[in-house]
């Protein structure tokens, strides 16, 4: 099929009460407009033309990674005016599909079906019936149920306002015919706009058949005008994604308390507890379990890893059978080998943790390379920053660092070394030996604790 797609995205979206253009508001981690361009691209069109206006350049920048044509509509004089702006580059023989940048959940299959019959003698219109059709354009049909025209809410008679079949705004027509109809549009209506919807009556006049299609669900054609509608679509989308992932075998304790803002791939028998937020690209191996209330962004987590409650993990890799949390934070470039343990209130940044090593309590490990089978005692801090520069700490295999130690980088702890508890290590320590910095313990006999007077 020779298809070109036009996406209308010039509207201001005043009801969002936001500086951000409406089509850049985020749904499941992506701008609304990206959902629409993705649906468009799934049809393999010749081109996708986005009509932009409000927020201009920021809209273009946000979608810079996609192959799109951009047309500016400086003044928003109506949907017909907007489509007309997008037409010059489109070939006469193409079918043209019109989408709205603020209707994000439209399905590729619905669009595919609509585009199929389009020719110079057939056009397609996506309509649906609503309990409360107020505000929408209504589909006026004749006694034989043939579509005659669309009337906008503000132009509708009492009788027309009773019609519950509404225009979703999405339509497809032959480019040459559409070009002709657009040139004929007038703005002598209640809103003084060039209505795209007026082309229907012109098509009927030209004996072009109007085929109507219905979306599979109402959410598919719901637009975002305010933040409440955005939140409603977000919930709907999240639940449908959760259900899709469960069909693919993902274990979710509660699909209503799971948020995916990116791409998740997972092995068998993965179970995710409530209130997980998954962002970016996340890979979970076989048998991974995620405890309640974790945020996981751009991580690669191998087989058998257990992430306990309340962890925040970002740009990290975790080797198999490791145990993380509760309350652990892995920051970018945390690379954990297999069988590692990272416990509560531990922060790891830009560090390699070797196989079987443990950092179980209250520690900061940054810019560090830790070997295998190392034990980092509670409250250990790698002092990686001197106020101007970052320095590395290197810890060999089988090292034991006693609790409450500071390792002042740059510093190297030799393999098999032991650091006595409470030490501040500023120089390299030899392998296999005990190093400690500690003042002698004093006993003050007969000392009395102060007491409050009665
Ligand atoms: C439009 C339809 C109405 C339909 C409804 C569905 C017309 C005249 N009416 O009404 O039949 O029921 O959508 O939601 O088409 N836009 C531009 N440039 C403009 C005007 C609009 O890009 O000059 C964009 C908007 O950003 C928006 C879309 O087109 O994404 C629809 O515009 P809007 O003003 O919301 O149309 P409605 O009055 O809702
Ligand atoms: Ca609208």
């Amino acid at each position: 099929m020779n298809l070109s797609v036009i996406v209308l995205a010039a509207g201001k979206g005043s009801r969002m009460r936001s500086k951000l253009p409406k089509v850049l508001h985020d749904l499941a981690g992506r701008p609304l407009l990206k959902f629409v361009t993705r649906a468009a691209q799934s049809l393999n069109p010749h081109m996708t033309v986005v009509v932009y206006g409000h927020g201009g350049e920021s809209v273009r920048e946000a979608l810079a990674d996609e192959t799109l044509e951009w047309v500016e509509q400086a003044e928003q004089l109506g949907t017909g005016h907007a489509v007309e702006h997008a037409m010059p580059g489109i070939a006469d023989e193409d079918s043209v599909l019109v989408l709205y940048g603020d209707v994000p959940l439209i399905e590729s299959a619905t669009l595919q079906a609509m585009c199929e019959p389009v020719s110079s003698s057939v056009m397609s219109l996506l309509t649906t019936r609503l309990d409360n059709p107020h505000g929408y354009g209504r589909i006026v049909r004749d006694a034989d149920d043939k579509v005659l025209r669309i009337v906008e809410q503000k132009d509708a008679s009492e009788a027309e306002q009773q019609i519950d079949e509404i225009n979703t705004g999405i339509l497809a027509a032959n480019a040459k015919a559409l070009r002709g109809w657009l040139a004929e549009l007038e703005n002598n209506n209640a809103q003084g706009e060039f209505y795209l919807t007026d082309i229907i009556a012109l098509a009927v006049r030209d004996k072009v058949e109007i085929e109507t299609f219905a979306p599979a669900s109402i959410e598919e054609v719901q637009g975002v005008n305010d933040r409440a509608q955005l939140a409603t679509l977000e919930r709907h989308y999240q639940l449908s994604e959760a259900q899709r992932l469960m069909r693919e075998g993902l274990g979710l304790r509660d699909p209503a308390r799971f948020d995916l803002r990116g791409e998740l791939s997972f092995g068998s028998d993965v179970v995710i507890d409530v209130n997980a937020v998954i962002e970016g690209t996340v890979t979970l191996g076989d048998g991974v379990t995620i405890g309640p209330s974790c945020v996981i962004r751009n991580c690669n987590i191998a087989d058998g890893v257990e992430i306990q409650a309340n962890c925040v993990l970002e740009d990290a890799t975790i080797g198999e059978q490791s145990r993380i949390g509760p309350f652990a934070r892995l920051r970018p470039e945390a690379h954990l080998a297999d069988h590692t343990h990272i416990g509560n209130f531990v922060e790891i940044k830009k560090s390699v943790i070797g196989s079987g090593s443990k950092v179980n309590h209250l520690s900061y490990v940054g810019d560090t390379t830790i070997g295998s089978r190392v034990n980092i005692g509670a409250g250990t801090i790698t002092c990686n920053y001197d106020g101007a520069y970052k320095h590395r700490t290197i810890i060999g295999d089988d090292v034991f660092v006693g609790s409450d130690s500071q390792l002042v980088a740059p510093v190297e702890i030799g393999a098999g070394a032991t650091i006595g508890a409470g030490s501040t290590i500023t120089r390299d320590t030899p392998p296999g030996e005990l190093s400690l910095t500690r003042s002698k313990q004093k006993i003050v006999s007969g000392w009395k604790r102060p007491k409050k007077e009665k």
Side-chain angles (χ1 to χ4, degrees):
M1 192 198 317
N2 294 327
L3 177 72
S4 287
V5 182
I6 297 174
V7 180
L8 303 189
K12 184 157 184 239
S14 353
R15 278 181 280 164
M16 297 297 285
R17 295 180 175 273
S18 169
K19 291 198 183 81
L20 192 67
K22 177 163 74 174
V23 292
L24 294 189
H25 278 261
D26 180 296
L27 190 136
R30 266 186 290 149
L32 292 173
L33 186 53
K34 276 219 164 200
F35 282 81
V36 182
T37 54
R38 187 187 268 199
Q41 304 297 27
S42 75
L43 305 169
N44 292 315
H46 279 156
M47 62 168 112
T48 299
V49 189
V50 181
V51 182
Y52 71 103
H54 279 280
E57 293 310 309
S58 63
V59 179
R60 290 186 66 155
E61 275 162 32
L63 281 87
D65 57 330
E66 294 191 26
T67 313
L68 300 166
E69 308 295 320
W70 294 90
V71 173
E72 189 177 6
Q73 185 198 19
E75 254 192 306
Q76 278 89 58
L77 303 180
T79 48
H81 180 252
V83 169
E84 199 174 18
H85 268 64
M87 292 300 292
I90 296 175
D92 269 347
E93 59 276 14
D94 275 14
S95 296
V96 174
L97 172 67
V98 177
L99 301 177
Y100 285 5
D102 57 1
V103 179
L105 301 187
I106 186 71
E107 293 276 349
S108 178
T110 304
L111 300 177
Q112 194 86 46
M114 280 184 72
C115 291
E116 210 89 318
V118 172
S119 69
S120 55
S121 56
V122 179
M123 69 165 288
S124 298
L125 195 57
L126 191 63
T127 75
T128 189
R129 291 184 189 279
L130 293 181
D131 291 341
N132 178 10
H134 186 88
Y136 291 92
R138 309 297 212 290
I139 311 297
V140 181
R141 292 178 184 262
D142 68 11
D144 296 329
D145 222 26
K146 284 214 181 313
V147 174
L148 289 178
R149 60 194 173 88
I150 295 177
V151 62
E152 292 302 306
Q153 172 75 35
K154 288 183 179 149
D155 303 286
S157 66
E158 281 293 324
E160 287 164 341
Q161 288 184 30
Q162 303 310 309
I163 299 171
D164 68 349
E165 187 185 8
I166 63 108
N167 172 35
T168 66
I170 294 171
L171 56 79
N174 165 260
K176 183 165 186 231
L178 180 60
R179 219 189 300 278
W181 299 326
L182 290 169
E184 286 190 61
L185 291 183
E186 289 175 23
N187 64 351
N188 52 356
N189 50 51
Q191 301 184 79
E193 288 182 4
F194 296 94
Y195 291 164
L196 177 62
T197 44
D198 284 348
I199 68 164
I200 304 301
L202 298 173
V204 170
R205 178 202 65 192
D206 292 348
K207 308 264 182 305
V208 169
E209 194 190 325
I210 319 284
E211 269 205 47
T212 54
F213 292 80
S217 78
I218 195 72
E219 287 82 6
E220 255 194 78
V221 295
Q222 253 157 20
V224 172
N225 294 307
D226 57 33
R227 291 177 188 269
Q229 288 168 337
L230 179 60
T232 303
L233 287 192
E234 172 89 32
R235 283 331 321 146
H236 172 81
Y237 180 76
Q238 290 296 352
L239 198 54
S240 69
E241 283 291 275
Q243 281 156 351
R244 174 181 68 81
L245 293 167
M246 288 193 295
R247 284 194 295 276
E248 291 172 10
L250 182 67
L252 290 176
R253 289 293 181 91
D254 181 358
R257 285 181 288 171
F258 169 73
D259 283 75
L260 177 57
R261 301 175 189 160
E263 308 293 330
L264 174 65
S265 41
F266 55 92
S268 62
D269 300 296
V270 170
V271 178
I272 301 182
D273 212 319
V274 300
N275 294 332
V277 178
I278 308 282
E279 300 184 334
T281 306
V282 171
T283 304
L284 306 176
D286 292 344
V288 168
T289 60
I290 311 273
S293 299
C294 290
V295 179
I296 303 179
R297 180 182 306 137
N298 297 323
C299 288
N300 203 323
I301 299 178
D303 294 353
V305 170
E306 180 183 356
I307 311 286
Q308 299 182 346
N310 297 297
C311 290
V312 178
L313 316 178
E314 179 178 6
D315 294 309
T317 58
I318 304 175
E320 58 186 50
Q321 308 298 332
S322 293
R323 197 184 67 212
I324 314 297
F327 298 101
R329 178 166 184 214
L330 301 184
R331 289 174 53 199
E333 294 181 61
H335 298 296
L336 280 47
D338 58 297
H339 295 86
T340 55
H341 288 183
I342 305 298
N344 39 213
F345 309 107
V346 171
E347 173 179 347
I348 311 273
K349 185 216 78 169
K350 206 172 184 178
S351 293
V352 175
I353 313 289
S355 173
S357 290
K358 298 172 183 170
V359 190
N360 271 332
H361 328 269
L362 301 156
S363 291
Y364 172 65
V365 175
D367 303 296
T368 298
T369 302
I370 294 180
S372 300
R373 299 171 303 277
V374 169
N375 185 74
I376 304 288
T380 297
I381 307 293
T382 56
C383 309
N384 60 329
Y385 185 49
D386 60 13
Y389 299 99
K390 300 273 172 68
H391 303 280
R392 290 202 73 81
T393 300
I394 296 171
I395 300 174
D397 292 342
D398 302 297
V399 163
F400 182 98
V401 178
S403 295
D404 192 28
S405 294
Q406 302 88 50
L407 309 176
V408 181
V411 72
E412 181 166 353
I413 313 296
T418 301
I419 305 296
S423 295
T424 301
I425 301 296
T426 53
R427 286 183 293 139
D428 291 356
T429 70
E433 307 282 4
L434 168 67
S435 299
L436 76 169
T437 65
R438 197 181 281 172
S439 49
K440 276 224 166 72
Q441 187 168 334
K442 272 186 252 180
I443 296 168
V444 181
S445 344
W447 181 80
K448 291 267 185 309
R449 229 189 264 169
K451 270 194 185 141
K452 258 193 177 159
E453 281 179 45
K454 289 246 171 75

